[in-house]
Every structure is written in structure tokens, then in C-alpha cells.
Amino acid sequence: MPDSQPRRPDDNAPDSADAATTDPAPTLVLAGARLVDGRDVDVRLSGSRIEAVGTAGSLTTRGPRIDLRGYLLLPAPAEPHAHGDTALTADPDGPGPASHHAEDIQRRATEAALLQLGHGATALRAHVRIGDVQGLAALEAVLQTRRVLRGLADLTAVAVPRLLTGVAGADNFALLRDAVKMGAAVVGGCPDLDPDPTGYTAAVLEVAAEHGCPVDLHTDGDDPTRLARLAAMAGGLRPGVTIGPCAGLAHLPLETATRAADQLAAAGITVVCLPQGGCTGSERRASAPVRLLRSAGVRVAAGSGALRDTANPVGRGDPLEAAYLLASQHGLRAEQAYATVSTTPRAALGLPAVRVEAGFPAELLAVRGERLSAVLSLAYSRIVIHRGRVVARTSAVREYCDSDPDTGPDLPRQGRPDSGAGPRS
């Protein structure tokens, strides 16, 4: 007997329409790129996969080539915590607050996703509010953005109701089920804002279990008893539970915070911190205690949170900045910091791992620089590759002007080694 339940869109698979209508990408060679281990290599891409990796100058093809000498080649970042429906609302056009018409939400969500794609994030998870006056309008707008971005980036939506318990939450509970049927790939919300946080969490987990989808919850993490209950309720749930930004954990006594971290690790819960600032639904500006969580065995990813909305009017949505902050302020090594915006969020989002090796997905970011520490410090020029195609480029050139070339010092110029522009700055 056929299954009568509506099929939920796969959070990880390419859209079926995209797979049916998009021709495979042609073979592309990335020539002379530097890897983190110091090797200079050629990388040949075929379709959406890495076909071969060889020493620089060893791979040939009749197709296009991109000269990546002077660039570091990395697995592309993934954005685990964006807010597509509220992005770019800090400075609305015209008088009054930003418009919440569906077409305006879609326009802003699309622009925000493209900004983050330009930074390197080829996969994004966007938290979207449902219920209240708007119902499912904001979710539909973000899902339309998902369709618009086919072939450029993979966007998934988290349905986020405000209340889920009591009389006020009954309609939202039904709406949450409708949101999953509409196309929300993840169920989430903010238990801290509900009069019954435990009941709220139970309701979210019930819907997730019904539909077999992941859970992603907002919490400050400042209540150890509530965190312990969440860990006990969510432990073992598949395909997984993510919480964040958990900045309140940093304000708990060390012994209490350590015990909470151990409980989260035992439950297999991923924590997404927001080094660049808070987000809607989070009052704290501090970041989660990343080193404490990591030492307990918690999988920690870093997200962007607010992107120029009222929670953070100057939010950049840049994963490399998040990694930079974790390295500069939390003492993580550059490799560890970059993993929090690439390897770890991809795992948390249920996406396949990416390594610059044959057979892995061609989800890559090339950044001008020869070492990861330098890339996190000054990550200006970037080339973003999604499914084997270049989908975004950012070029930056720095020059020091007003000097006399005949008598002045030989000032550095940024450019390729053979461009005649002098050494890179």
C-alpha cells in the first residue's frame, strides 16, 4: 500500500528538478593551488566531484583552467545558523520598519544568501519564523529563495514557531506540521521564550520524530537544569539535534558549565556558536565557551547569526570572520577554527564531507594567501566553487600610491607573480 503521508523534501539531496534540468558541469582544472599541507597541486573537477588531484602542472584538459597560483584551496564553508527572513532589515528603505510582504522577504533573503555565497558558504541553513500574523508567508518566501538559488547554493529552512504550548501554542503546533509538509527541512524554535520550555522542546521533538527531520533550537544555555532535560530528551534522536548560540554557558560557574558540556556531548548534540554577535531570539553578545565544549567532546560549529538586522546591524555573515574570531579570541588553532565553519557544520547539516581529494564533492573555496593563518587574517580575494562550477568571485587589489618609482622605496604591489605588478602585499 503506498505511503499516504506527504513526502518531506530531502535536506541534503539536490532538488529533483535541478538534477533533471541542469547539465553536468564541464571538466575544470584548478591549476597551481596551494593546499593547507603546503603542497602545490592541480585539481581536476568533473561534474559535481573532484576527479583528480596531482602535482602542479601535471593535470591537463581540453576544458577551461583557472590559475590559482597564490591561492589557498579549501573545502567550502557551510553556514549553519542564518536568519533569511530578517536579514538586511536594520536600515529599511523609506520611513518605518522593514516590509514583511512576501516579495520583500524573498528579495532580502536572496540578497543575504548571495552575500554569504560570495564569502564562500555554498550551503546555508536559514531559521524562519512561522505563526502569529504572518503564518507561513515568510517560510514560503524563503523557500522561493531556495528555488531561485538552484545551482548557486544549497539553502534549507528551519521552521521556528514562537509558542508551542497552551492555548496560544496550539495553532502554531499545527502550523509547524504544515511547515514541514510545505518544505521546511528542519524543525526548530526558541524554548526559552515559551512559558513551558520543556513542553516546547517535547512538541518540536514530536514533530521531528513524525517526519524524520533534524532539530535546531535556539537557547542561551544559561539554565543548566533546562539543558540537562533537553539533553535527556534529545539524546539519540536521528538525524540529529543542534542548539545555539549557548552564550549563557560562558556565564555559568566552571563546574556547572563543564557538567552541562558533558551532558551535551553524551547526547550527541551539536552546538552552534555565533562569534560575530547574537541573533534574533538571543539576548547575549558573548559567545559560547568553545574550548570548554570542545574539550568535553561536543561538536562545535560556528554560524553567522544576524546579518544586518536589529540584533546585529553590522553583521557580515562571513564564515572566515567567524573562524578568525575563534582563533584570535578563543585560542583555537587556525585549522581548528576553520573546521568550525566548514567540516563541522557540513556534518551538522547532514552534508557529505569535503576534502581536496579525488571522489569528494567539488564544494571549494580558493582564497588569496599561502597559509591558513594569513587567509583568516586578510581574506579578501575569493573564488567560490559549488557542484564543480565557479559561482562567485571577489577580487581585491591593494596598492600604495603617490610614491616616486625612481627614488622611493620598492613598495609592494598585490598581483600574480608573473603580472609585473611586483610582489603581493
Side-chain angles (χ1 to χ4, degrees):
M1 182 176 179
D3 187 357
S4 60
Q5 293 295 324
R7 289 179 63 94
R8 184 181 63 82
D10 191 336
D11 187 22
N12 311 318
D15 294 298
S16 57
D18 191 30
T21 60
T22 302
D23 294 331
T27 300
L28 172 66
V29 169
L30 310 176
R34 174 69 55 90
L35 301 185
V36 172
D37 62 12
R39 289 180 294 151
D40 293 327
V41 299
D42 289 349
V43 179
R44 185 165 61 225
L45 312 180
S46 180
S48 61
R49 294 273 166 180
I50 298 172
E51 184 178 72
V53 178
T55 57
S58 66
L59 299 184
T60 60
T61 181
R62 295 180 180 177
R65 299 172 65 86
I66 299 178
D67 185 356
L68 288 186
R69 286 175 297 169
Y71 281 79
L72 192 68
L73 188 62
L74 302 162
E79 172 53 65
H81 194 114
H83 285 270
D85 57 334
T86 60
L88 308 178
T89 56
D91 300 305
D93 296 329
S99 167
H100 289 286
H101 292 117
E103 59 272 19
D104 294 319
I105 294 174
Q106 182 193 332
R107 175 183 53 79
R108 293 193 302 262
T110 302
E111 183 180 350
L114 290 175
L115 284 171
Q116 295 187 277
L117 174 63
H119 292 318
T122 62
L124 305 97
R125 177 181 281 185
H127 294 252
V128 185
R129 293 178 296 184
I130 65 171
D132 300 326
V133 176
Q134 290 187 338
L136 295 173
L139 176 63
E140 176 54 39
V142 173
L143 291 175
Q144 181 59 30
T145 291
R146 177 177 182 264
R147 292 186 281 269
V148 168
L149 292 175
R150 280 178 182 160
L152 293 174
D154 294 326
L155 173 68
T156 56
V158 186
V160 179
R162 185 175 183 277
L163 300 175
L164 279 180
T165 66
V167 176
D171 290 342
N172 283 346
F173 186 64
L175 210 60
L176 184 58
R177 285 193 167 102
D178 291 340
V180 176
K181 296 174 185 177
M182 179 186 289
V186 188
V187 290
C190 188
D192 297 359
L193 299 181
D194 195 284
D196 179 5
T198 301
Y200 186 109
T201 301
V204 169
L205 294 175
E206 178 183 337
V207 175
E210 286 177 4
H211 295 273
C213 54
V215 170
D216 198 329
L217 294 169
H218 286 69
T219 180
D220 258 343
D222 57 355
D223 186 329
T225 302
R226 191 180 300 166
L227 272 182
R229 289 198 196 103
L230 192 157
M233 296 167 67
L237 182 73
R238 296 293 179 266
V241 176
T242 300
I243 65 173
C246 292
L249 269 174
H251 298 273
L252 296 176
L254 178 60
E255 182 179 350
T256 303
T258 301
R259 184 165 54 250
D262 290 339
Q263 293 166 339
L264 295 175
I269 293 175
T270 299
V271 171
V272 175
C273 64
L274 302 178
Q276 297 173 89
C279 66
T280 52
S282 174
E283 299 298 326
R284 297 182 187 271
R285 293 290 178 180
S287 184
V290 173
R291 295 182 68 181
L292 183 147
L293 290 166
R294 284 172 52 87
S295 66
V298 178
R299 184 166 63 180
V300 179
S304 296
L307 200 168
R308 284 161 41 195
D309 66 17
T310 54
N312 186 359
V314 295
R316 293 183 182 179
D318 185 350
L320 267 64
E321 183 185 45
Y324 155 76
L325 290 170
L326 290 178
S328 65
Q329 298 184 8
H330 291 262
L332 270 63
R333 298 195 308 272
E335 292 78 7
Q336 295 172 331
Y338 189 74
T340 66
V341 300
S342 57
T343 307
T344 309
R346 285 190 67 86
L349 271 56
L351 298 169
V354 174
R355 294 203 294 267
V356 187
E357 298 177 14
F360 283 86
E363 303 289 322
L364 303 168
L365 172 64
V367 187
R368 185 179 291 282
E370 297 185 349
R371 295 180 304 278
L372 190 55
S373 57
V375 160
L376 297 187
S377 175
L378 296 171
Y380 294 135
S381 297
R382 309 183 192 187
I383 299 174
V384 186
I385 295 169
H386 173 56
R387 298 186 190 176
R389 297 173 52 243
V390 174
V391 292
R393 290 176 184 263
T394 302
S395 298
V397 176
R398 175 188 291 128
E399 293 187 346
Y400 302 93
C401 305
D402 298 327
S403 64
D404 186 340
D406 296 325
T407 60
D410 184 15
L411 294 181
R413 299 288 189 268
Q414 187 179 49
R416 296 188 184 280
D418 58 353
S419 67
R424 293 183 302 278
S425 65

